[in-house]
Each structure stands twice: as structure tokens, then as C-alpha cells.
Amino acid sequence: MKENQLMPANLPPRDKELRARVKLFGNLLGKVLKRLEGRRALAAVETLRKGFIALRKQDDPAKRAKLMAFIDKLDADSLELIIRAFSTYFSLANIAEEDFLYRERRRQVSEGGPLWVGSFDHTLRQLYEQGIPADSLQQLLDQLAYVPVFTAHPTEARRRTVMEAQRRIFLAADRLNDRRLGREEREEATQELETRIQVLWRTNEVRVKKPQVQDEIKYGLFYFEESLFEAVPITYRFLEKAIRRTYGNDEAGNPRVRVPSFLRFGSWIGGDRDGNPNVTPAVTELACRLAMEQVLSEYLRRVSALRHELTHSLYMCQPSEAFLESLERDSNIATAVFRGSADRFETEPYRRKLYIMRYRLTETLNTVRRRLNGENAVLPANSAYASATEMLNDLRLIHDSLVSHGDANVAAGKLTDLIRLAETFGFHLFHLDIRQESTVHGQTVAEILKVTGLNEDYDALSEPERVALLARLAEAEELPRLDGEALSETARETLEVFHVIGRMRAEVGPEGIGTYVISMTHAASHVMEVMFLARLAGLAGRNEAGECFCQIRVSPLFETIEDLRHIEEVLEDLLTQPVYARMLKASGNLQEVMLGYSDSCKDGGILASSWNLYEAQQKILRITGAHHVACRLFHGRGGTIGRGGGPTHESILAQPPGTVHGQIKFTEQGEVLSYKYSNVETAVYELSMGATGLIKASRCLIDNPPMDRRDYLGIMDELAALGEEAYRDLTDRTEGVLDYFYEITPVQEIGQLNIGSRPSHRRKADRSKSSIRAIPWVFGWAQSRHTLPAWYGIGTALERWRQNDPSRLAKLQTMYNEWPFFRSLLSNCQMALTKADMRTAEEYAKLCHDPELAKRVFGRIRDEFERTVTQVLNVANTQTLLDENPTLALSLMRRNPYMDPLNHIQITLLRRHRELHERQPEAEQDPWISPLLRSINAIAAGMRNTG
């Protein structure tokens, strides 16, 4: 692909401002390098930077060889320093871009005109112009649930310490945006920025030790403390403003449309035990308690601040009767709260109430902390808050009382923000999902049945026999006593997880535990096994009155292409099972189904994966609808395109018409977490864009959505089959392709990078496609600049379907313009193609021990790459990739000259590292491993891709 295929035809406005800020950051980093590391270090960095920039403008084999010779002469310490310099540059470029985009949005708001597509303002105006009345909009909003789920995984690269340093740089840079600064103030602000950059340079971006799951839990909690506690109330306020601006107020002056608290958050960190033996029952308890501690601490801070704001005197206003009655009920703990001065703040009723609330929150928080310290602490019944509902009732009493005496504007401030937080986060902060693989449940159930004498050989039963047996046992009045000591350690631990679920529901509230996700669900019995285990732990069954109860929600996860194709059979078998149907109804009659993007893409390629997922959603909604069951789809998306990633707003709109019924749940992974939620400003934008995507996609709740055209569906059937055939021909049927993958990517070395508690392989020393997890599969191809999982097979599919027929090309172009799914698919493909670089990939190919194998495999990949670029440009009817997103195109173009030296350094390091271990297999001292691991981090930062 030529460089001019990247340059967008239309440059974004004010790009000059961004270039100036990136240049400033680069110059300040250069000053820090020169001062701390010396002139020679800076000269080496500049030699490579300028040399590869020149090569980007005009390829010169002699100059390239000279640069490679320069790299070859550098020792390990010098290489490490150069890698850190480029890595830090990428971090600064990311910050500059984030700040620039924030300023652009702020400028649009201040100008008062129409805002960007996906903003609340644009979305509400669009709905109003399309004739959606206020009552219909209210009906839609009341059914919304937007649920991002935070996950940890083996290739998340950034340390929390580094993110905190980057946040300080973001804030220091933002000060320079103030046009009122004088010359001296601007110099001081620039000096402060340089100091912050210096601290980042002095901070180790690579973890010294592999993180424990506990570290990952705290890493996930960081985003709530750093941005979300502020961003969530702001997001609600922006939506309220847009609604008020568009739909106005009623005769009483109240908004015609009320905004419910529809944001919710989930987490897998501390609950996802599939393939991670480090996630024990004790770790799950820890995750729930740490989350509760964090959210209670935030409430305590905000309640304490409100004491100094709501200083209303009884002599100046008359609180409501309901509020005064609540104060009277609190009198039984007044002596403890005010330490003997029980009448304190009697004439300042809101302050008095807030002091009492602070005391009750402290009692609850102290109980949680005692439990974290290992005590079997009991919540003080009379003084502590037992639930978020109790605290919310007190906050609403204060709010309504303020409104009753004319202080609605006061109530609408920080008090309303706190109410929004409590409605969103409760005492649990997030819904912790539990995940385990289906075979673990099967083995545990087989053991339990044998030990209790209920069945000697569960494994020998047919699928219908298993379902019938498990259904009968799930509703049985009594079960034989189970001797836990007779079970294996794995079975005991699996059953203990269900007891932990019961305890945590009691401690943090029913919302503290989300769904129980079963990975590799192949049959209805896999779900019924979990229901039986839940019955053993007292989470499901029949109560004393003979009524069915169920305190667990199960989400089957369909991951591979084969799983997706059998989804109808499994769901039909499950929902027609009378016992399961009764338990589902008892738990709320909502069936959640999770779809795995990563494994299906690794399995059959991006085209087959995307299309099978699209069709699976339609099948799921048809089946659940036929059984009168509500359904929520849970999208297991990764950060990269090869794992279902892409812009959230567009991704939601690309779902099949009529399948988004007001609720959407999806995983947030890898660099996506730090990119979206490290800064308050960006978190507000991302939450807003996701929410508007959900609102638009949920029009089916109040309107009949336009259905997909049948001819488009037929074409996609053909394209998916052609794409899957091409992808499998490479990954499944090309001899030696897995050897090529392992030898030309740093995937073997990822395991030594201390970036995740979860193993990157299912089975060690197994060079098979089934052994490697989807995340490092995508990560390895990205590091070596192939980015293959996100585009391979698309070019062949388009070319074969077109057959050089102009009318067929015109049809594809119409599909691209009219069908959100197809447009999103090819737009994401363009991003992945832009991040690939075949010149650099060819250098990685030389790491393969067999030159003939490398030539054969790389040749196929390069040919498909060029074919895909050509075909995608033809269908999109543009001259350059990402022509419709010039900001992103320029961002990636800016990075390439800085990525080039990093990639070439990594190739050198991989060669040296491997040669050393071939000569000395037991070598303890390896000078190349540290810079090599840093290069993995640096390239991930440059591409904004981990996995």
C-alpha cells in the first residue's frame, strides 16, 4: 500500500493546532532527554526518527540498510532508552489528540450551533424532527440500560501509576488552552508541563512483577475514582439539557421528558475464572468488598461536602413533614452521632440530617473494611445503612423538602449528582459477573451425582437424559447430604463459588452479582448444570410455600462459528424446559445471551464471524420472543477490530434492526478502558456516544424499524462463505502457518511481560490455533504489523463475488451507503488495513527459520492485503483509506515514522534474544529481554492496540 493511499483528501479543520501541540510535547521530551540522558542519547533517537521519516517520504534501500546497521551496533541499554523515548512520545501524542478532540467539542458547544453526530443535542433534534412525541421518548428512555463491563486480559499493557502521570500531563496541557494567559504565565505553564513529562520519563512503564488478580481489581476500580464518579452525573446533565432544549417544559415548568438513571457498570475482574486458576472464591469476595468500599468512600466524601452547603436554618425555611419525621426517627442514634450533644444543629435540619447520614455511612464502611481485614464483622443494625435504598430514601427526602420551600435550584446541584450516583452504583458499584467454562461444571456435577448416589455415570447419559435429570434435581424438595470432603479440590472450589454468590448478594445487595456466564456453551444441559449447582447452594429451588425462586441469572456464551450456527437448537431446548422456564420467570423473565467476538473471529475470520454474529442475534430474538421472554444481548467485544472492536456508537447502530430492545451490555477491554475512561472529559463523550447509539437502535420499542433488504442478506451469505473459505485456507490448511506465526511475532515472549494474571495459552508448548487464546492471537499479528485477523478474506470475498461485473460493484457500493452493518464492517476494516504495514511485516517474516515457508506464507498475506485494499477502496468509492475519517487517518500517519524504528528494533531484539537461548537454553542473564518487553509496550501504545 502506497503512502498516498493513507493521506485523506480533506484535512480536518484546525489540524495545525494539533500538530503544534504534538510538536511542543516532542520538543519538551527532547529537552528532558538531553538534560537527563545526555546529547548522545538524544542524537541516537533523532538519527532514527529523521531517518525513518525520510524513508516514509521516499524509500531508499541503501538508507534503510544503513539505519538497520546503526540499530545493530547499539547495546541493550541504548536500545532500551530509545524504545522508552519513542514509547513516551506515543503516550504524549495520545494525550495531545485526546485534549485536541475535547477542545474541538468544547468549541462546538460554545459556538451554539448543531453539535456532532452522536451528541445528545444532535440525537434529540433528529428524533424531534422525525416526529417522535415526548410521551414516546419517555417510554423509550424508561426501558434503557447501558451496561459497559470492565475486563482484565493477558495483553493489557499500561500500569495504573503511568496512567496517573499521564492524567497530570493532560491537566497541565489543558492549562495552555487558556487564551487569557500572559507571557509569563504561559512560560510557567509550559515549565510545569515539562516537569510532568520528566516525571513520566522517570516512571517505569513496565511492571517489575506479574500482577496478581488483586492488582487487576484495583486497576479496574481506578477508572471509577479517576473519572466515572464525575463523568456519570455530567452525562445525565447533558442529556437533560438537550431534552429541555428540544422538547421544552410543561405548564408547571418541569421538563416534558424525565431522564431515568439508565447507566450501569459491570466487571469481570475477580469473577472471570475461565482459564485463570488465580481467580478463587476468596478473590471474588475481595472484588465485591473492594468495590463496595470504593463506592461508600465516594458517598461519604460527597455527603461530608454537602454538610457545608445545605446550611438552611429553620428560621429561614420550613422543611417538609416527611423530612422532619425522618429526623425524628434518627433521634435514637443522635447521641452517638453528636457524641453527647444530641441537640446539635437542631435549627439547621439539613446539616443535622447529613451528619447522621455521614455517621451511618461510616458504620457501613467500617464493617466492610473489617471484613476486608478478615474479620467476620456484622453490620450494626440500628446505626448503619443496610442498603443503598435506605440512603437513597434519605437523599430524596432532603431533595423533595428543598423543592417544597422554593429551593429546587439548590436541590438540583450537588445533591442531585449524589442521587444520580446512588441510583447508578448502589452499594455494589458494579455487577460482578462470574464466568466459568462448561466442562468444569460438567465434571463437578458428575462427581456430586456419584458421591451422593444420585447417578453413577453422568457422562454416559444422552443430552435429553442429562437435562431431565438436572431439571428434576433442581426442583427437588430434598437432596441427599453432600460430603464436600469426598469431592476433588476443583469440584469443591466450583461449588464454593455458588456459596460466595449467596453471601455477596447478602453483603453488597442483590445487584452486586451480575450474571453467571458459561463459556463454551454447546448444549442446554450446560445451563441446567449451573442451575443444579445453584440449587445445592440455596440460590434456586422451591421455598416453604412451594413457590419457585431463583437468585441467579445464567448467560450462555456462544463463541466459535460452530456454536453460533447451533444457537437455535440450544436455546430452543433450554426455553422449552418447564423447570428452567419457571426459574427464569422467578428471576425476572430476562434471558441474557452472550456472543463471543474474539474466538469466532480467530476461528473463521472477520467476515464469517461478523455475519454469523449478526444472524445469531436475529435468531436469539426470534426464539426468546416466541417464548414470551425478554432478552438482553451481551456482546463480548475486544479493543481491536479482530476482536469485535470499533467505535461504540456505530457498532450499536450496526446491530440487526429490532434486536436492541433498550438494553445493551458489552465488554470493555485492553486499551479501550484507558482510552475511554482515563479522563473525565473523554469518559463523558464516550458514555454520551454510547447512550445515543442505544437510543437510536432502540426505536423499535416505539416504532416499526425498517427491516434489512433481502438481497443484501443474500449477498452477505455469499461473502461470508467466501471470506471464511479464504481465511481457513490460510490458517487451517496452509502447512507451517502456525510455525510462521509463532516465529515472526513476539507472542512467545508476551508470557514474560508482566501485564496480566491470566495465562496467554490454554496449553503450554502447543503450537496450534486452538491452543492460543484469541487475545494474544490478535496481539501477535498486530505487533508484527500484519493485523491479519481484522481483514484477511475480505478482499477475496469481494473480488470473487464481484467477478469484474460493474453492476455488482454498484450493488456493493449501494450496500455500503445504505446498510449500517456493511458500512461499519468495511470502515473498521479500513482502520485495520491502515494500521498494517507490509514493508515492516516483511522484515518480521525474515525471523522465520524456514525462508521458503516465510516467502510462501508472507506472499499469500501480502497478496490478500493488496487485494483487500483495492476492493475496499472500490466499494467505499474513495481514493484513500479512512477518507471519511481524516482525523483518524492523520493520527495513524503521524505515528508511522515513529513506529518504524520501534518495529525494526523489536525485530533485532527478537533475533538476539532467541539466538542467545538457542546457544544457552538455561541462560539466566538475558540483556535483551528487558528492552524487548518494553518494545511490546511501546508498539501497543503507538498502535493504540493491545487486544
Side-chain angles (χ1 to χ4, degrees):
M1 181 171 61
K2 298 180 178 65
E3 196 73 10
N4 62 8
Q5 286 180 309
L6 284 176
M7 177 63 77
N10 301 305
L11 295 179
R14 282 170 291 282
D15 183 64
K16 189 177 177 182
E17 289 180 28
L18 174 56
R19 291 202 308 274
R21 181 57 56 87
V22 172
K23 186 177 180 180
L24 171 65
F25 279 6
N27 289 340
L28 293 177
L29 176 62
K31 286 175 68 176
V32 169
L33 280 174
K34 185 177 177 181
R35 188 170 67 253
L36 299 182
E37 309 298 341
R39 289 177 179 273
R40 287 184 64 187
L42 180 60
V45 170
E46 287 296 288
T47 296
L48 292 173
R49 185 179 73 86
K50 291 176 179 176
F52 280 101
I53 286 175
L55 287 177
R56 277 277 161 181
K57 291 176 180 175
Q58 179 67 52
D59 195 26
D60 182 339
K63 188 173 283 186
R64 187 177 296 275
K66 192 175 178 182
L67 286 170
M68 289 305 295
F70 179 78
I71 291 170
D72 280 335
K73 289 178 184 174
L74 295 170
D75 59 23
D77 290 342
S78 299
L79 287 170
E80 190 155 3
L81 189 144
I82 290 167
I83 290 164
R84 290 198 66 229
F86 284 117
S87 179
T88 306
Y89 168 82
F90 286 134
S91 296
L92 296 174
N94 291 344
I95 293 167
E97 287 176 359
E98 192 171 347
D99 175 62
F100 172 74
L101 292 171
Y102 169 58
R103 279 187 284 139
E104 282 293 280
R105 294 191 294 270
R106 201 161 56 183
R107 181 188 56 77
Q108 285 187 48
V109 172
S110 65
E111 287 176 356
L115 302 185
W116 55 92
V117 174
S119 65
F120 285 131
D121 179 79
H122 184 276
T123 301
L124 268 297
R125 287 177 194 270
Q126 195 176 52
L127 292 173
Y128 186 77
E129 288 164 6
Q130 290 169 355
I132 302 298
D135 57 345
S136 294
L137 179 60
Q138 186 69 68
Q139 182 187 342
L140 191 159
L141 293 180
D142 286 343
Q143 297 178 70
L144 292 186
Y146 182 78
V147 192
V149 179
F150 292 5
T151 71
H153 64 89
T155 56
E156 173 52 56
R158 286 213 275 180
R159 293 180 63 211
R160 174 172 172 163
T161 307
V162 170
M163 289 191 291
E164 288 169 343
Q166 290 169 348
R167 171 65 178 168
R168 289 190 287 270
I169 291 171
F170 180 92
L171 294 174
D174 191 50
R175 195 181 163 209
L176 289 171
N177 300 328
D178 188 346
R179 298 185 184 279
R180 297 168 299 178
L181 291 180
R183 186 172 62 83
E184 192 172 319
E185 290 173 310
R186 188 163 293 278
E187 286 174 0
E188 287 175 0
T190 305
Q191 183 59 51
E192 171 64 15
L193 180 59
E194 183 180 333
T195 300
R196 293 294 163 204
I197 291 171
Q198 181 174 327
V199 171
L200 179 64
W201 175 255
R202 292 292 203 192
T203 303
N204 193 352
E205 74 278 17
V206 174
R207 292 183 177 93
V208 177
K209 293 181 179 178
K210 194 172 184 68
Q212 303 298 305
V213 184
Q214 293 91 321
D215 301 314
E216 292 177 333
I217 294 167
K218 291 173 182 175
Y219 171 87
L221 294 174
F222 164 81
Y223 296 106
F224 294 93
E225 178 187 345
E226 195 68 13
S227 71
L228 288 169
F229 286 144
E230 279 190 65
V232 164
I234 294 172
T235 303
Y236 286 128
R237 286 189 181 282
F238 283 178
L239 178 52
E240 285 171 334
K241 281 181 187 176
I243 287 176
R244 217 168 26 243
R245 199 181 301 127
T246 309
Y247 282 86
N249 294 336
D250 60 20
E251 294 76 12
N254 298 315
R256 293 185 188 277
V257 179
R258 181 188 55 82
V259 177
S261 295
F262 59 86
L263 298 173
R264 296 292 184 270
F265 293 84
S267 177
W268 276 17
I269 310 174
D272 180 12
R273 53 218 346 108
D274 177 15
N276 193 346
N278 301 308
V279 181
T280 62
V283 164
T284 299
E285 288 186 331
L286 177 69
C288 289
R289 288 166 178 165
L290 284 173
M292 192 174 182
E293 179 189 35
Q294 177 145 2
V295 77
L296 288 172
S297 299
E298 179 66 18
Y299 296 156
L300 188 59
R301 185 183 70 79
R302 287 177 179 253
V303 165
S304 297
L306 280 170
R307 291 175 307 157
H308 305 296
E309 287 203 18
L310 303 184
T311 54
H312 297 57
S313 169
L314 277 177
Y315 300 115
M316 309 297 175
C317 63
Q318 179 58 48
S320 69
E321 280 300 313
F323 172 78
L324 292 174
E325 285 170 9
S326 80
L327 264 185
E328 183 60 33
R329 288 194 297 273
D330 292 334
S331 61
N332 63 330
I333 59 169
T335 303
V337 174
F338 299 109
R339 299 183 183 180
S341 304
D343 58 350
R344 194 174 180 203
F345 300 121
E346 278 202 334
T347 62
E348 295 177 316
Y350 299 123
R351 292 190 78 185
R352 182 175 175 84
K353 182 69 176 179
L354 287 162
Y355 267 90
I356 291 166
M357 289 182 69
R358 185 181 72 153
Y359 179 83
R360 296 186 69 188
L361 276 169
T362 301
E363 289 284 276
T364 307
L365 180 57
N366 286 341
T367 303
V368 174
R369 285 174 172 162
R370 289 201 300 274
R371 288 168 177 164
L372 282 168
N373 289 329
E375 292 181 41
N376 190 20
V378 177
L379 196 70
N382 295 324
S383 56
Y385 280 120
S387 69
T389 304
E390 291 182 9
M391 185 190 77
L392 257 173
N393 288 340
D394 279 346
L395 291 172
R396 287 169 179 155
L397 280 170
I398 296 173
H399 179 279
D400 293 348
S401 181
L402 286 167
V403 171
S404 73
H405 53 65
D407 281 309
N409 54 334
V410 177
K414 292 179 181 178
L415 176 62
T416 292
D417 287 348
L418 179 52
I419 290 171
R420 285 293 196 187
L421 288 179
E423 289 173 342
T424 301
F425 297 114
F427 275 5
H428 54 277
L429 183 64
F430 49 61
H431 312 292
L432 182 68
D433 285 347
I434 310 297
R435 183 171 77 138
Q436 182 56 282
E437 207 243 325
S438 59
T439 56
V440 176
H441 304 132
Q443 290 161 6
T444 301
V445 167
E447 274 192 52
I448 291 170
L449 294 177
K450 190 168 186 176
V451 166
T452 55
L454 290 166
N455 189 279
E456 283 297 314
D457 194 357
Y458 176 74
D459 293 336
L461 298 179
S462 66
E463 171 63 13
E465 289 171 333
R466 289 186 183 195
V467 172
L469 172 63
L470 295 166
R472 180 169 57 80
L473 295 175
E475 275 198 331
E477 284 188 24
E478 286 189 27
L479 291 172
R481 184 178 169 279
L482 175 62
D483 179 10
E485 292 303 311
L487 298 176
S488 67
E489 185 180 344
T490 300
R492 278 200 308 274
E493 184 168 297
T494 302
L495 187 56
E496 175 58 18
V497 170
F498 290 85
H499 290 289
V500 166
I501 291 172
R503 291 198 296 272
M504 291 303 99
R505 281 174 57 86
E507 272 192 33
V508 306
E511 295 297 305
I513 298 293
T515 50
Y516 194 107
V517 179
I518 308 169
S519 51
M520 293 298 170
T521 301
H522 306 309
S525 61
H526 291 162
V527 176
M528 293 308 297
E529 286 164 356
V530 170
M531 299 309 293
F532 170 60
L533 295 172
R535 164 71 180 83
L536 289 172
L539 294 171
R542 289 189 177 275
N543 59 24
E544 292 177 359
E547 297 165 334
C548 194
F549 73 93
C550 185
Q551 297 170 350
I552 189 168
R553 293 195 305 274
V554 180
S555 181
L557 166 55
F558 300 94
E559 299 174 84
T560 65
I561 297 289
E562 198 63 25
D563 289 341
L564 293 171
R565 287 171 181 160
H566 290 118
I567 211 163
E568 286 174 293
E569 180 186 332
V570 175
L571 279 183
E572 195 64 50
D573 288 350
L574 187 62
L575 296 177
T576 52
Q577 213 311 307
V579 172
Y580 183 75
R582 284 195 290 273
M583 290 193 169
L584 185 64
K585 192 170 184 180
S587 67
N589 208 39
L590 172 69
Q591 178 63 61
E592 182 176 289
V593 179
M594 184 171 182
L595 300 169
Y597 287 65
S598 309
D599 280 286
S600 59
C601 184
K602 187 196 85 171
D603 180 30
I606 188 70
L607 261 178
S609 170
S610 300
W611 186 236
N612 277 280
L613 285 160
Y614 193 88
E615 291 191 307
Q617 293 176 63
Q618 294 172 315
K619 293 173 186 175
I620 292 164
L621 268 294
R622 273 200 301 271
I623 295 166
T624 53
H627 289 277
H628 307 290
V629 170
C631 179
R632 176 168 66 199
L633 294 169
F634 182 7
H635 301 268
R637 304 166 68 232
T640 51
I641 306 307
R643 297 191 51 246
T648 305
H649 184 84
E650 289 78 3
S651 296
I652 296 174
L653 291 179
Q655 304 310 306
T659 60
V660 182
H661 290 185
Q663 299 197 25
I664 197 161
K665 182 176 173 183
F666 54 92
T667 53
E668 297 274 48
Q669 303 183 10
E671 78 288 348
V672 171
L673 274 180
S674 49
Y675 173 66
K676 285 187 175 182
Y677 304 117
S678 289
N679 292 308
V680 175
E681 302 79 3
T682 306
V684 171
Y685 170 75
E686 292 293 342
L687 290 173
S688 303
M689 291 293 283
T692 56
L694 178 60
I695 290 168
K696 291 176 185 177
S698 299
R699 280 279 296 271
C700 61
L701 294 171
I702 56 171
D703 207 354
N704 291 322
M707 301 312 291
D708 289 333
R709 285 177 46 171
R710 286 196 170 188
D711 54 338
Y712 291 177
L713 303 179
I715 291 168
M716 269 312 304
D717 280 337
E718 294 180 54
L719 289 173
L722 291 167
E724 182 175 3
E725 174 63 24
Y727 179 82
R728 288 192 185 279
D729 196 45
L730 175 75
T731 61
D732 296 352
R733 296 190 285 270
T734 299
E735 189 177 344
V737 71
L738 269 298
D739 289 328
Y740 176 87
F741 170 71
Y742 278 95
E743 290 172 19
I744 68 101
T745 72
V747 73
Q748 296 173 94
E749 288 73 21
I750 289 171
Q752 298 176 59
L753 188 59
N754 295 319
I755 52 179
S757 69
R758 192 179 184 210
S760 61
H761 279 65
R762 291 185 172 92
R763 298 181 296 278
K764 290 188 177 180
D766 181 354
R767 281 192 177 186
S768 70
K769 189 173 151 194
S770 60
S771 168
I772 189 168
R773 292 187 181 279
I775 297 169
W777 171 257
V778 172
F779 189 63
W781 288 118
Q783 286 274 310
S784 59
R785 303 302 295 278
H786 289 64
T787 69
L788 177 152
W791 55 262
Y792 197 94
I794 290 180
T796 292
L798 292 172
E799 183 180 75
R800 288 185 182 171
W801 191 85
R802 273 183 58 192
Q803 300 173 357
N804 287 325
D805 182 341
S807 65
R808 286 197 160 206
L809 174 59
K811 174 68 83 172
L812 291 171
Q813 289 173 338
T814 305
M815 281 172 62
Y816 182 79
N817 291 325
E818 291 184 353
W819 192 15
F821 166 76
F822 193 60
R823 188 180 192 89
S824 175
L825 176 70
L826 293 195
S827 294
N828 287 337
C829 175
Q830 289 183 58
M831 191 193 311
L833 290 168
T834 306
K835 289 184 176 184
D837 187 289
M838 288 298 114
R839 280 185 304 193
T840 303
E842 189 170 15
E843 295 297 320
Y844 276 93
K846 293 173 185 175
L847 291 169
C848 184
H849 76 287
D850 182 346
E852 281 303 310
L853 173 64
K855 184 178 178 182
R856 180 161 44 86
V857 174
F858 177 73
R860 290 191 60 174
I861 293 169
R862 182 185 53 212
D863 290 348
E864 180 66 12
F865 175 82
E866 291 171 356
R867 185 181 297 114
T868 305
V869 170
T870 300
Q871 296 300 324
V872 168
L873 288 176
N874 284 335
V875 173
N877 202 18
T878 60
Q879 299 299 310
T880 60
L881 294 171
L882 292 176
D883 198 43
E884 295 151 348
N885 192 343
T887 302
L888 178 59
L890 280 172
S891 170
L892 296 174
M893 271 193 67
R894 271 189 208 102
R895 293 160 196 273
N896 276 332
Y898 299 85
M899 290 292 297
D900 291 344
L902 278 175
N903 283 123
H904 286 81
I905 288 170
Q906 186 180 82
I907 291 165
T908 299
L909 291 167
L910 282 168
R911 189 174 286 118
R912 291 179 184 178
H913 165 69
R914 291 170 183 177
E915 285 172 355
L916 172 66
H917 287 274
E918 280 176 19
R919 291 195 311 270
Q920 304 173 44
E922 304 300 321
E924 292 185 10
Q925 296 297 319
D926 182 350
W928 312 114
I929 191 64
S930 178
L932 174 56
L933 299 183
R934 287 190 193 279
S935 76
I936 293 172
N937 262 344
I939 291 168
M943 295 182 75
R944 296 196 98 148
N945 274 141
T946 54

